[in-house]
Amino acid sequence: MTNIAKSENTDMNMSSGPFVDVANTPKQQRAPKARVTAQNVNVFYGQKQALFDVCVDVPDRSVIAFIGPSGCGKSTFLRCLNRMNDTIEGCRVEGDIKLDGQDVYDPKIDVVELRARVGMVFQKPNPFPKSIFENVAYGPKIHGLATNKTELEEIVVTSLRKASLFEEVKDRLHEPGTGLSGGQQQRLCIARAIAVSPEVILMDEPCSALDPIATAKIEELIDELRANYTIAIVTHSMQQAARVSQRTAFFHLGLLVEEGPTETIFTAPNDKRTQDYVTGRFG
Amino acid sequence: MNSWMVALLLLAVLSLAYQQGWSLSRRLATPEGRLHSRPAYHGSLVAIWTIAPALVIFGLWALFGTSASRAFILANLPAEIVDTGGAALQSAIQRVRAIASGFGVAGEVQPYEAAAGEALRRFQLIASATVLAAAAAFAGVSLYFARRRIATRLRARNEVERLVRYLLLACSGVAILTTLGIVLSLVFEAARFFTFVSPIDFFFGTVWNPRFSTTGAGSGQYGLLPLLWGTVMVAGIAMFVALPIGLMTAIYLSQYAKPRVRSIVKPMIEILAGIPTIVYGFFALVTVGPALSAFGASIGVDIRATSALTAGIVMGIMIIPFISSLSDDILRQVPRAMIDGSIGLGATQSETIKRVVLPAALPGIVGAFLLAVSRAIGETMIVVLAAGNSPFLRANPGEPISTVTVTIVNQLTGDQDFASPQSLVAFALGLTLFVMTLFLNMAALYIVRRFREQYE
Ligand SMILES: Nc1ncnc2c1ncn2[C@@H]1O[C@H](COP(=O)(O)OP(=O)(O)O)[C@@H](O)[C@H]1O
Ligand SMILES: [Mg+2]
């Protein structure tokens, strides 16, 4: 609960802080409203509890970074948000997670629709063994977003453009997606997620398998996507969190230790553990 | 010469040599002069060098001993018996050997037989003593030289590694040489067959009627096509049964089944694979055949109890575990990340399987399918019992047929004269079968590789 209260205060700070996109239209200058709210989330793998009473808000049209030592539950929390944990045998989620005020774990909710609204990009680029075109067209086809071929092509091209990949692959849309470089594959996966017009995009260490140049490209892309999407990114790199996110949440041993504007977390954290982590004393 | 004793003796020599190499090299190791290789390697090296020449001598004796003793027997038998040749000579040699070994023989022992037997006994005694002595001498000499080679700088480890590699190479050579031998014998015997019947008549003939070798005149007709057609039909029906059931079982096991269900179901399906094919044959003959023909009668279709359909269905059941087990392994190799990617986009589980898992696993599944086909083609017992053994070109699967394998069995059982086309045709048929399965397996490998390149 204290986390919630804190985050509301800091939202105010944030609008005057250096991390607000000044170029943005006035409608975004008001305090970001929460897109996803999570309260008292507990996650269990069998008997083992992996998350303890986590409360976080993911603000609309901005980037929130989840940092923390490995095994602290960042991925677990991220996967709660689009119910990817459902596919894991023995995983149980308790608590209250809402997307636009709608309970994500409501038994009546359609998971298929939820996952269309909350897209996901994984740690290792995982394009399907299909052509570049088919990779991006996969989601729209499943959800019936295009009524004819031209519409489908339009969606594919727009998505590839938004993922800054179109120029590089426009001559080989029908070659296998697995033939691209690692960074291109990851941008293909982002295009694939964008193609179903999600509101929220979850990224689980999207750059951990990439070289620095490809990483820089993805970070740049994330910064562009922020204008239209709500993004939650897990990263093990504190520099990356500092570069791309407006808010940062620090996890430790299944607890959400601290959450706030990125600058505050890195320069003046409240908690000793955060301090130790961001200054590289453990992790 | 008792081979157990020889083996024990060899083991004793082996350990003695090892111990020699080991202790000698250890004594060499001084604080300043470090051994290049650890004593165990020196021991192994000495042991290998000591035992190898002895093994070569025993091997030579095993290869040529029999023909040597045969030559000796021939020299000791009266000329008129040697001149008769053929089966009579063969049995005379057998009798002499039996007398020499002390087992005794049926009937009166002729004086010349007794003499030859006694001579042979002495010959064998001397021969084995000689072989043993030669082996021992070689072992001793090589032990001496191997010991002398031991020095701190001797690279025993590298040498042992190399020798071990040769040993492994030789072992894999055995399998390859055996295969080569089988193929060559098939080819030569088939070539003999083709001196009786022209390959065109064999490969394109539509009538199979070999007659019997015992009735003499007329060599019959050897058209392969009816048999090939029967084989293809039965295998086709089998795959028609096995592929959908096996594949769906695999999909269930790999994608849906909970670990506990899987751990029970999978072994149970694999029991199917352990049932001897002859038992499937009974099952086809006694249960499936009559049931099918009764069912056919009830809907007004004439299905014979032993028919292509009966054999094909039962063979299909036999192949189910083969396909399900192979496909299950392949489906489980589809990366979890790929499945997550699809689920994460909002695809349901069955959409994911249809659009991502199966396409990714397709090459492997095609490979499994082709392997299963080549098994179906080579399968014998079920068709012998349940296909009706009727080598005619018939399109109706409800009629009896015959297959290549069944015909091989027929041509090789009973009284045989291995110089007649009636028997020799079995080798031509075997060769045909071998070439077919070889091509299927090669196609399977090729397809798997093509798809791999495309997707990885
Ligand atoms: N599928 C799973 N089954 C059991 N335990 C798991 C599973 N996934 C993660 N865990 C456990 O949950 C904890 C949090 O894991 P995770 O969320 O992957 O951490 P992070 O992403 O921060 O490195 C770890 O202790 C891990 O061992
Ligand atoms: Mg993780």
Side-chain angles (χ1 to χ4, degrees):
Chain A
M1 282 295 115
T2 51
N3 280 324
I4 302 284
K6 200 183 295 160
S7 70
E8 262 152 20
N9 300 337
T10 47
D11 281 348
M12 297 298 139
N13 302 342
M14 198 188 159
S15 36
S16 57
F19 282 87
V20 162
D21 196 348
V22 192
N24 269 343
T25 51
K27 75 170 192 282
Q28 297 219 316
Q29 297 255 312
R30 61 172 194 262
K33 95 176 193 293
R35 202 67 203 252
V36 180
T37 58
Q39 284 187 42
N40 301 89
V41 174
N42 289 293
V43 179
F44 303 83
Y45 290 109
Q47 295 301 311
K48 188 173 160 252
Q49 187 163 3
L51 284 181
F52 301 85
D53 275 331
V54 173
C55 302
V56 188
D57 286 359
V58 181
D60 191 24
R61 289 172 206 239
S62 65
V63 179
I64 184 167
F66 298 143
I67 61 170
S70 92
C72 66
K74 308 178 297 285
S75 302
T76 301
F77 181 68
L78 202 68
R79 285 199 308 262
C80 289
L81 303 183
N82 69 343
R83 291 184 58 175
M84 278 301 280
N85 282 336
D86 289 10
T87 62
I88 295 173
E89 192 79 29
C91 179
R92 191 156 52 83
V93 179
E94 284 172 4
D96 195 21
I97 301 176
K98 289 203 170 83
L99 172 64
D100 290 338
Q102 193 182 6
D103 184 4
V104 165
Y105 279 85
D106 185 344
K108 286 199 290 288
I109 201 174
D110 183 4
V111 205
V112 167
E113 197 199 318
L114 170 72
R115 292 191 188 131
R117 289 172 64 192
V118 184
M120 188 153 197
V121 176
F122 297 83
Q123 188 163 355
K124 227 180 116 232
N126 58 350
F128 301 132
K130 299 171 183 288
S131 71
I132 294 171
F133 184 92
E134 286 297 327
N135 261 285
V136 184
Y138 186 86
K141 275 185 177 172
I142 279 176
H143 297 289
L145 299 183
T147 49
N148 57 40
K149 225 173 133 30
T150 349
E151 263 181 53
L152 188 63
E153 274 168 17
E154 210 177 293
I155 294 178
V156 170
V157 171
T158 326
S159 308
L160 284 171
R161 279 230 166 82
K162 283 189 188 159
S164 319
L165 186 61
F166 185 68
E167 289 306 316
E168 290 161 61
V169 300
K170 62 183 175 198
D171 302 324
R172 44 173 176 156
L173 285 180
H174 295 284
E175 283 170 34
T178 41
L180 298 172
S181 75
Q184 288 172 326
Q185 287 189 14
Q186 197 60 299
R187 275 180 284 150
L188 179 62
C189 293
I190 293 176
R192 190 172 71 181
I194 289 175
V196 293
S197 326
E199 298 153 30
V200 181
I201 303 177
L202 310 175
M203 302 187 178
D204 191 351
E205 304 196 22
C207 304
S208 64
L210 305 182
D211 61 72
I213 292 173
T215 301
K217 278 211 172 112
I218 302 255
E219 287 179 3
E220 203 178 305
L221 172 61
I222 292 173
D223 209 50
E224 284 165 22
L225 293 175
R226 168 158 69 90
N228 297 306
Y229 303 93
T230 299
I231 297 172
I233 178 173
V234 168
T235 175
H236 61 255
S237 147
M238 280 171 285
Q239 291 88 332
Q240 185 169 68
R243 282 193 298 263
V244 303
S245 73
Q246 284 72 57
R247 297 185 73 84
T248 296
F250 171 63
F251 286 77
H252 184 48
L253 299 174
L255 292 165
L256 177 71
V257 174
E258 188 168 359
E259 194 266 355
T262 300
E263 203 198 21
T264 317
I265 295 288
F266 281 99
T267 53
N270 288 330
D271 196 286
K272 174 82 168 57
R273 287 167 291 180
T274 319
Q275 171 90 40
D276 286 349
Y277 184 70
V278 297
T279 52
R281 229 160 285 163
F282 72 86
Chain B
M1 186 165 49
N2 190 325
S3 40
W4 278 109
M5 291 227 327
V6 174
L8 270 179
L9 223 66
L10 280 176
L11 260 178
V13 172
L14 199 67
S15 39
L16 175 78
Y18 180 89
Q19 194 274 335
Q20 288 273 306
W22 187 79
S23 57
L24 202 65
S25 62
R26 259 175 72 99
R27 241 176 291 143
L28 275 183
T30 52
E32 53 277 12
R34 228 171 60 81
L35 280 176
H36 169 270
S37 307
R38 278 184 292 120
Y41 282 109
H42 286 281
S44 305
L45 190 62
V46 173
I48 292 170
W49 279 125
T50 306
I51 212 74
L55 281 180
V56 167
I57 289 181
F58 286 123
L60 286 177
W61 176 241
L63 274 182
F64 301 112
T66 323
S67 35
S69 68
R70 183 188 159 92
F72 184 83
I73 295 169
L74 288 184
N76 276 283
L77 282 176
E80 61 266 27
I81 300 221
V82 176
D83 287 342
T84 55
L89 178 62
Q90 206 55 43
S91 83
I93 292 175
Q94 282 306 323
R95 284 173 70 86
V96 174
R97 281 191 198 282
I99 291 166
S101 68
F103 282 140
V105 289
E108 195 79 14
V109 176
Q110 303 294 324
Y112 72 85
E113 285 179 340
E118 179 55 26
L120 181 63
R121 206 178 57 75
R122 255 180 292 128
F123 170 76
Q124 280 173 341
L125 214 61
I126 294 168
S128 54
T130 317
V131 168
L132 210 56
F138 270 96
V141 170
S142 46
L143 173 62
Y144 172 73
F145 281 110
R147 273 185 50 143
R148 270 192 39 172
R149 288 185 65 217
I150 294 176
T152 47
R153 296 315 308 157
L154 177 65
R155 295 168 176 260
R157 169 164 31 87
N158 308 27
E159 270 187 50
V160 169
E161 284 300 320
R162 206 179 58 234
L163 290 171
V164 165
R165 204 171 69 228
Y166 290 149
L167 178 73
L168 297 179
L169 185 72
C171 288
S172 58
V174 169
I176 294 171
L177 285 180
T178 313
T179 314
L180 205 67
I182 292 173
V183 173
L184 284 182
S185 84
L186 272 179
V187 167
F188 284 128
E189 298 296 319
R192 271 176 73 196
F193 168 73
F194 287 127
T195 60
F196 291 98
V197 177
S198 97
I200 296 184
D201 289 345
F202 176 70
F203 286 112
F204 300 105
T206 54
V207 178
W208 177 266
N209 181 13
R211 314 247 179 91
F212 296 103
S213 54
T214 41
T215 57
S219 58
Q221 285 168 288
Y222 299 89
L224 173 69
L225 289 183
L227 309 178
L228 208 55
W229 169 243
T231 298
V232 169
M233 188 151 68
V234 172
I237 295 170
M239 295 318 294
F240 192 77
V241 172
L243 186 68
I245 299 182
L247 192 56
M248 287 191 219
T249 308
I251 291 175
Y252 172 72
L253 282 181
S254 65
Q255 309 293 318
Y256 288 96
K258 294 214 160 41
R260 220 171 53 84
V261 177
R262 191 186 146 78
S263 70
I264 297 169
V265 174
K266 193 160 192 205
M268 272 169 61
I269 292 175
E270 271 157 13
I271 288 176
L272 269 184
I275 298 175
T277 56
I278 185 83
V279 175
Y280 280 104
F282 294 155
F283 176 58
L285 191 65
V286 177
T287 313
V288 179
L292 269 180
S293 109
F295 171 72
S298 73
I299 59 166
V301 180
D302 187 26
I303 300 176
R304 304 280 290 278
T306 54
S307 64
L309 199 60
T310 310
I313 288 175
V314 174
M315 194 191 285
I317 295 171
M318 181 196 84
I319 290 175
I320 287 172
F322 195 72
I323 291 199
S324 75
S325 184
L326 279 176
S327 309
D328 176 50
D329 291 342
I330 291 158
L331 287 172
R332 283 162 65 80
Q333 275 168 23
V334 173
R336 181 75 221 172
M338 212 124 90
I339 297 171
D340 279 349
S342 171
I343 302 267
L345 283 169
T348 62
Q349 194 166 10
S350 68
E351 278 169 343
T352 303
I353 290 167
K354 200 169 67 199
R355 289 166 182 258
V356 174
V357 178
L358 283 181
L362 190 67
I365 291 171
V366 171
F369 174 78
L370 291 180
L371 286 180
V373 171
S374 76
R375 243 197 100 163
I377 288 176
E379 169 50 38
T380 310
M381 267 358 271
I382 294 175
V383 268
V384 164
L385 287 177
N389 188 21
S390 156
F392 297 100
L393 270 176
R394 288 184 178 124
N396 179 0
E399 295 276 337
I401 46 93
S402 185
T403 68
V404 176
T405 50
V406 171
T407 311
I408 293 177
V409 172
N410 287 343
Q411 297 308 113
L412 289 184
T413 44
D415 248 352
Q416 288 315 312
D417 172 3
F418 274 93
S420 73
Q422 279 83 358
S423 303
L424 288 174
V425 71
F427 294 98
L429 291 172
L431 189 64
T432 312
L433 212 54
F434 175 77
V435 171
M436 280 167 72
T437 49
L438 185 70
F439 273 107
L440 278 172
N441 290 358
M442 269 165 36
L445 286 180
Y446 175 76
I447 290 171
V448 170
R449 208 170 302 145
R450 273 280 311 263
F451 277 82
R452 283 255 167 81
E453 278 165 13
Q454 196 174 334
Y455 285 140
E456 270 164 26

